[in-house]
Structures are given as C-alpha cells and as structure tokens.
Amino acid sequence: MSLSVRSVPTSPFEGQKPGTSGLRKRVSVFKQQHYTENFVQAIFTAMPAPGPQDATLVVGGDGRYYMKDVVQKIVRIGAANGIRKFIIGQDGILSTPAASALIRKRKADGGIILTASHNPGGPQNDFGIKYNTRNGGPAPESVTDAIYQATCSIAEYKEAELAQPVDLVAIGVQRFGNVEVEIVDSVADYVELTKEIFDFELIRKFRQQNPKFTLLFDALSGVTGPYGRRIFVDKLGFPESSLEQCTPLEDFGGGHPDPNLTYAHKLVERVSKEQTSLGAASDGDGDRNMVLSHDWFVTPSDSVAVIAHYAECIPYFKRTGIHGLARSMPTSCAIDRVAAAKQLEVFEVPTGWKFFGNLMDAGRLSICGEESFGTGSDHIREKDGIWAIVAWLNIIAHVSQATPGATVRSIMLDFYSIYGRNYFTRYDYEEVSSEGASQMMDYLRTLKAGVSYNGYEVVKVDDFEYTDPIDHSVSRNQGLRIIFKDTSRIIFRLSGTGSQGATVRIYIERYDDKQCDLDAQVALKPLVDIALKVSKLEEYTGRKEPTVIT
C-alpha cells in the first residue's frame, strides 16, 4: 500500500551550500520553518542516478540535540521521494565511521549522517547534515554542487504522512505502507569489522602479560562511548575504569567534543596524573582521534606515519597488502618518508576526506591521514577514530613482543631514528571576521619567492591546486603555501568546518634528522614568528593569541 504524500510549498534559503563535510549551522537556523526540510529534499533531488526511487538509505548521527527530530523528517521526506528502505541506528545513533561501514556492508544507495562533527552541540550550538554516496564516503563536489543548486531553486518539498513516528528504540523492522524501516544495533556491525581488521587476540594477550599497562579512552560525551565500551572493555578486557565520558549526550556535557590538547584537557590531566600508558580521545561523531601517553603527545601527522610503518603487523594489511599512502596537503611529510622507504606511491590531496575516496576506490590507497586528527584506511571511506586507537594498541602489542616494555614514547623515538622528525604545529584562530580573514589571504597571495626571513630562504609561494589522478577534476585555492629552501613550510588556510565566522589555520613544519627530542613549540618558534609577522594576522583579524595550538 502506497503512503499518502503531500507537497509543501516553500522558497529557497540563502547559504545552504554544503562545505567539506556537509551543511553546518546553528540549531536555531535549522529550526526555521522549512529550513531542514528544504535541504533534505535537495539531497533527494540531487541523489546520483538512479536516484531515490526504490533506494536503500542509511540514517544516523552523533546524538546531538535535534538529531532525533531530523531523523523523523528524513524518513517522511525520503519515503515521499521514493526511498523504500531505511536502515537507522538504534536511538538514531551511528558514528560516522559506522555509518560508512554500514552503507558498504548493506550495499545501500547512500546515507544521511546528522552531525556537526567536533563542533559543540545543544540548543545554542551547532547541527549538521551530511550526505554520503554508495561507496560510503562523503559526497564529491559534483554532488554537493548539485545539492546546492537544488536548494537555490526549490519551490516545494514532498512529505509522506505516516500513521505514527518511527520507533527509534525497538531493534527490528517497522513497515509504513510500502516503506520498510529497520532499526539496527548501532555498534555491532562496526565491532565485527574492527575484529576482522586487528589482532584482538594479540592485544588481549599483551594486556594479560602486562597488567601495569593502562588505557584511558575519553569519548568526550560523543557518539563513540558505546563503541569504546564494546571494544575496549567487552572485547579486549580492559577495566571499566579505562573509560571516560562514554555516555553520548545531546550537548556533549557542555564541552567541545574536539580531541585536542585544549578541549580534551580532562583526558590530558588524568593521563599525566595517573601516568597512563595510552590515552586516547575521539570527537563528537567518531571520525577523529587523539593519541598520547603521560610523557608523549603523538601528532596526527606522526600517528598516520607510524601506522603506515608498522602496517604489516595488522592482519587486514597482511591480507590486502598496502597499495599506497596519502595525506592532506597541510599534514606533515612524515608519511612521505615512510612511502619512500617502502617504495609505495604517496599522494598529497586537499583537506577533506572525500579526496581520498577516489584513490581508494581505484585500488591505489590503503592508509591516509589529516593533521586535523583524522586517520584511516580503505576499510571504509571515512576517517575513523576508534580504528586509529586500536591500531596503536595493535602496534604496541606487536613491538612489545621483541621489545618488552615498549611505550608510546619509545616507539616514536625509534621511528625518528629511522626517518628523522618532521616537527609540526598548527595555530587555530576560531570565529574571526570573515572579511578580515579573506583580506589576509588576499595579501598573502601577493608574496613572492626569493626573499629570506631570519635566515629562512623562500623558494616557493603558491595556492595549492590538486588534479585528481582518477577523475582528473581540479580543486583550486586549497591553501597558501610558503616553502623554504630547507623544505620547511608555512601554510595558511581558511577552514570550512565552523558554523559561523571564519577559522584561520596556520600550519608550520620543519624537518630535523639530528635533534629529534625537542619540544615542538621550541623547535618551531622561529617559523611561528615568521608566520605571524609575514601574514600580519593581528592587523587583519585583531587576534593576538590563537584559540587552539596543536
């Protein structure tokens, strides 16, 4: 029996252009009459061929405020547009990596993920809607552009009339006319995939033989709490005390669910105080991660390089082999050195996980990462916070077989003894004036090579441009690079992940193969001073101090 469908007249809203990870705005913006409905309808209008008719759609999100309301809207609008099956995480919960895995496992036609990632949640904060295609990855620019065009010309949206709201709690199948809604365990499929990738038996054995080894995982009250409990406690046998803030909350407990040294300060303080062997955090939707110990912070750039170096100890890569490595352009070049040593192809792409997807689908990429705390592989088409943390457990357990007592610090120092160290830091200036930030970038584009600053000779100044080797699409203006003769780099970017204003990010990198145990801020201070002076950042933005230093 077909559902009754009504057409609701509407008109376009300005600014519904998806960024690198969907549409992110304040909750109050999404709650405007027709605003959310317009954007959801635009997704179905722009859905790649064969479109929404008789399609299967995965739906879930990070548990933030307003998510459950929007899940109901998606079902009503999707059913009216021809979707025949919805696969929804229990309570609407699906981490972004779990959603990608579910799209791929169930061969769905795509998915809608409700998240603003690492941005704060709650009535006064942020919400987001993101569309993933059938490969499980973020929609490419051709699709997001089509969604935006649909939002600009929309005159009505379709909505099915359901007898009652979808029950998001009861696992099983519900039917509404000719539409099927399946509520699934949010965690089970992802945990099974993780067990297939890593050597759980080795990790359990290591934990039993090293009872003094401690783990502290902080989900920052985001979506990964249930995933962490199921994996770290139920499957790997760590005690319940290994978990911190592992109940998903609509407002993330009033915190900022961004796993860095500033916003994950509770974790950092506990790891230091309790002399924790491995501390780790994930963000609101579960695609980012931070790894540290009581005496070492692992930069995301180093983390992906170390995982690439030790990949052969991970069962998944033993089976599949390693097809190539990649990093986002601002990420340090540490992984390039691993690629060279292992004679692997390496790619430098713009910021945005979607740029890795084509390479993975073409069989040319296995492991990749971004300096913005994103790490992952071709097991799915999203970055994956839990994956990176379990990878570190697998590596520590493997190294400890030959080197009992191995630690995060010793593993990092061994890595530097082989490859040298790419010192790296990032300065974030959040919610600055968009006008001032744009003026600063325009000024930076006038800089020329051939000059020296405090002994650092500039050999290249450009705006990074990327030609995709698979589909040959071109992405321009992806970050202003100042490259020095000694290979040091200063990079300036405006980030598209905030919900208002602009975020200026400054990335600074210097390679050293002799002194590898310096504090990064000390090693990079001369370049930091150059970056602030050359950019005239304070003059253009009014900011004297960064919001976050990584």
Side-chain angles (χ1 to χ4, degrees), residues 85-405:
K85 182 176 179 68
F86 295 89
I87 303 171
I88 304 174
Q90 187 179 32
D91 290 321
I93 291 287
L94 278 177
S95 73
T96 292
S100 179
L102 197 55
I103 291 168
R104 293 172 65 80
K105 179 177 181 177
R106 301 291 288 270
K107 295 180 170 56
D109 297 286
I112 296 179
I113 305 174
L114 304 175
T115 178
S117 189
H118 54 291
N119 293 4
Q124 308 305 316
N125 287 307
D126 294 354
F127 191 75
I129 303 177
K130 170 182 171 182
Y131 176 67
N132 281 30
T133 55
R134 59 174 53 88
N135 77 340
E141 288 186 40
S142 59
V143 175
T144 56
D145 286 347
I147 293 171
Y148 177 57
Q149 292 304 316
T151 70
C152 293
S153 59
I154 191 169
E156 65 177 21
Y157 60 85
K158 298 177 182 178
E159 192 171 53
E161 297 180 2
L162 307 184
Q164 68 275 336
V166 175
D167 181 349
L168 298 176
V169 177
I171 290 177
V173 174
Q174 304 165 48
R175 289 183 172 82
F176 301 86
N178 58 348
V179 175
E180 181 177 292
V181 178
E182 181 182 358
I183 305 301
V184 299
D185 183 317
S186 304
V187 180
D189 289 313
Y190 178 84
V191 172
E192 286 306 308
L193 176 61
T194 307
K195 284 174 62 180
E196 293 170 4
I197 293 170
F198 298 106
D199 193 337
F200 275 32
E201 183 178 349
L202 175 66
I203 298 170
R204 282 194 295 264
K205 183 179 178 182
F206 164 77
R207 188 193 63 78
Q208 291 164 359
Q209 294 176 342
N210 297 271
K212 292 184 178 180
F213 180 90
T214 52
L215 168 72
L216 182 59
F217 170 67
D218 190 344
L220 298 176
S221 299
V223 75
T224 56
Y227 297 84
R229 176 170 281 105
R230 192 84 60 92
I231 292 172
F232 301 128
V233 176
D234 296 348
K235 299 298 181 183
L236 296 177
F238 285 97
E240 185 76 17
S241 58
S242 301
L243 305 179
E244 172 87 8
Q245 299 189 105
C246 278
T247 299
L249 300 175
E250 288 191 336
D251 65 349
F252 306 112
H256 194 141
D258 193 354
N260 59 47
L261 296 173
T262 298
Y263 295 127
H265 61 89
K266 289 182 181 178
L267 172 71
V268 175
E269 291 162 6
R270 277 196 61 187
V271 166
S272 176
K273 180 179 178 181
E274 299 170 20
Q275 298 285 287
T276 304
S277 307
L278 180 66
S282 188
D283 70 330
D285 69 323
D287 62 354
R288 299 185 183 211
N289 75 95
M290 178 175 72
V291 172
L292 73 161
S293 68
H294 64 89
D295 58 356
W296 199 271
F297 166 65
V298 183
T299 69
S301 298
D302 280 348
S303 182
V304 67
V306 169
I307 292 171
H309 174 69
Y310 285 105
E312 287 85 355
C313 79
I314 295 172
Y316 176 82
F317 297 116
K318 288 180 182 177
R319 295 193 303 269
T320 66
I322 303 172
H323 309 302
L325 307 176
R327 61 174 172 83
S328 65
M329 181 273 288
T331 301
S332 91
C333 300
I335 197 170
D336 300 45
R337 301 181 187 282
V338 177
K342 294 182 177 292
Q343 298 183 309
L344 293 169
E345 196 171 21
V346 63
F347 300 92
E348 180 183 42
V349 308
T351 296
W353 206 258
K354 60 191 174 185
F355 293 103
F356 295 124
N358 273 2
L359 297 166
M360 290 178 178
D361 289 344
R364 294 176 66 179
L365 175 59
S366 294
I367 299 171
C368 53
E370 297 180 328
E371 49 67 40
S372 52
F373 296 89
T375 320
S377 84
D378 59 352
H379 68 292
I380 57 173
R381 295 298 182 267
E382 289 278 6
K383 49 185 175 279
D384 190 345
I386 294 285
W387 176 92
I389 297 163
V390 181
W392 267 92
L393 283 170
N394 202 146
I395 290 166
I396 292 168
H398 168 77
V399 173
S400 294
Q401 290 178 305
T403 311

